[in-house]
């Protein structure tokens, strides 16, 4: 099954989030084959969005979580709090948090551990910047982020882990990666995870970075690409609807 994740970032408030969530449900209505759809609204919108997606197949993801269960951590939100709101997934280590808020691999590691312990499915975001890519270090950077992000965390066979390959130069720039390059990186990540993770948990690898209604099929038709993580185009209903339809088309092609 293909996965479509919408990262709404800080682009919409509660009212717009509710309207978007309703639109996503409409976009899925009447479809025989359904992709996995996960929407990540801002924290303030969860209670209202939850009412809209209840009894639908649409799942909710957090854009971030903290690494402790509870305590004196002003402004932070724990995986447990998210889980109580019906959230199933959590983006962790998004490049905007790494670059703007100095989030380190060590912090990412602690967040993944706590999210997993609370039953959330972590979506670990990795990817190189333009300079690293130009220097031919993209694979090394991604390997290091995987190792450091996952070190010491025990996965069981029934656990799930998503990794989103999001080259930083492609995020919000309108310049998506070439699908062949994404495929190469995805198979590198898959191979690497086999070495890092014991017990063979289930793994999905998503591509993110300037995905839109026009280019999404060129990624989703690739068997190596389990899904997409979409930022800007996920808050535009027409675009997101096209992305969902392309996921359905790709799933039909798999049959
Ligand atoms: C993102 O922020 O995760 C992202 C992929 O953004 P965009 O789709 O806008 O490039």
């Amino acid at each position: 099954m293909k996965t479509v994740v919408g990262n709404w970032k800080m682009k919409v408030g509660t009212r717009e989030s509710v309207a978007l969530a309703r639109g996503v449900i409409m976009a899925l209505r009447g479809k025989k084959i359904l992709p996995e759809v996960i929407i990540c609204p801002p924290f303030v919108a969860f209670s209202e969005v939850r009412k809209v997606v209840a009894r639908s197949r649409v799942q909710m993801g957090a854009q971030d979580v903290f690494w402790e269960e509870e305590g004196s951590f002003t402004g932070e939100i724990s995986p447990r709090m998210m889980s109580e709101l019906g959230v199933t997934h959590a983006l962790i280590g998004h490049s905007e948090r790494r670059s703007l808020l100095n989030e380190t691999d060590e912090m990412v590691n602690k967040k993944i551990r706590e999210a997993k312990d609370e039953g959330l499915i972590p979506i670990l975001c990795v990817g190189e910047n333009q300079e690293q890519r130009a220097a031919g270090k993209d694979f090394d950077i991604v390997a290091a982020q995987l190792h450091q992000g996952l070190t010491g965390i025990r996965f069981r066979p029934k656990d799930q882990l998503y990794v989103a390959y999001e080259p930083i130069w492609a995020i919000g720039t309108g310049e998506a990666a070439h699908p062949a390059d994404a495929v190469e990186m995805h198979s590198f990540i898959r191979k690497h995870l086999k070495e890092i993770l014991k017990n063979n948990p289930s793994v999905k690898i998503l591509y993110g970075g300037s995905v839109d209604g026009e280019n999404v099929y060129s990624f989703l038709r690739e068997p190596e690409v389990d899904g997409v993580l979409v930022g800007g185009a996920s808050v535009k209903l027409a675009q997101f609807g096209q992305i969902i339809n392309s996921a359905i088309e790709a799933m039909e092609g798999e049959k």
Side-chain angles (χ1 to χ4, degrees), residues 76-196:
E76 294 296 338
I77 308 229
S78 72
R80 174 166 295 182
M81 292 169 181
M82 288 284 92
S83 173
E84 280 167 5
L85 279 175
V87 166
T88 50
H89 296 69
L91 299 178
I92 296 179
H94 191 281
S95 68
E96 284 155 11
R97 299 195 60 84
R98 291 180 190 259
S99 64
L100 297 170
L101 298 160
N102 297 326
E103 198 160 292
T104 62
D105 286 317
E106 195 191 345
M107 290 153 81
V108 167
N109 181 276
K110 291 198 282 185
K111 289 179 176 197
I112 290 179
R113 185 187 304 264
E114 183 63 21
K116 192 187 134 312
D117 286 353
E118 286 299 332
L120 297 183
I121 299 171
I123 305 176
L124 166 59
C125 302
V126 297
E128 79 286 356
N129 66 26
Q130 184 64 275
E131 255 172 51
Q132 293 160 337
R133 176 179 160 84
K137 293 189 176 146
D138 37 356
F139 290 91
D140 291 346
I141 293 292
V142 168
Q145 288 172 336
L146 292 174
H147 273 281
Q148 289 163 29
L150 296 168
T151 187
I153 302 179
R154 264 189 80 81
F155 283 84
R156 292 158 302 175
K158 69 176 177 61
D159 287 334
Q160 295 183 64
L161 171 71
Y162 291 21
V163 172
Y165 170 53
E166 297 209 297
I168 297 170
W169 49 268
I171 295 182
T173 59
E175 189 200 339
H178 192 286
D181 292 340
V183 165
E184 195 184 353
M185 184 59 90
H186 280 215
S187 64
F188 172 81
I189 292 172
R190 213 176 290 283
K191 232 174 56 211
H192 235 72
L193 289 177
K194 281 228 163 72
E195 287 164 22
I196 302 172

Side-chain angles (χ1 to χ4, degrees), residues 5-7 9 11 91 94-96 125 164-168 170-175 207-212 228-234:
V5 183
N7 174 15
K9 311 195 187 196
K11 288 175 183 275
L91 299 178
H94 191 281
S95 68
E96 284 155 11
C125 302
Y165 170 53
E166 297 209 297
I168 297 170
I171 295 182
T173 59
E175 189 200 339
Y207 168 75
S210 292
V211 168
D212 59 24
V228 285
L229 171 50
V230 187
S234 71

Side-chain angles (χ1 to χ4, degrees), residues 6-9 12-15 17-18 21 38-54 58-65 77-78 81-91 120:
N7 174 15
W8 296 353
K9 311 195 187 196
V12 286
T14 301
R15 206 150 22 104
S17 293
V18 166
I38 303 156
I39 53 176
C40 306
F43 288 127
V44 290
F46 273 105
S47 315
E48 292 302 313
V49 168
R50 180 188 198 180
K51 294 178 198 161
V52 178
V53 301
V58 176
Q59 300 174 78
M60 298 190 299
Q63 295 179 19
D64 179 47
V65 282
I77 308 229
S78 72
M81 292 169 181
M82 288 284 92
S83 173
E84 280 167 5
L85 279 175
V87 166
T88 50
H89 296 69
L91 299 178
L120 297 183

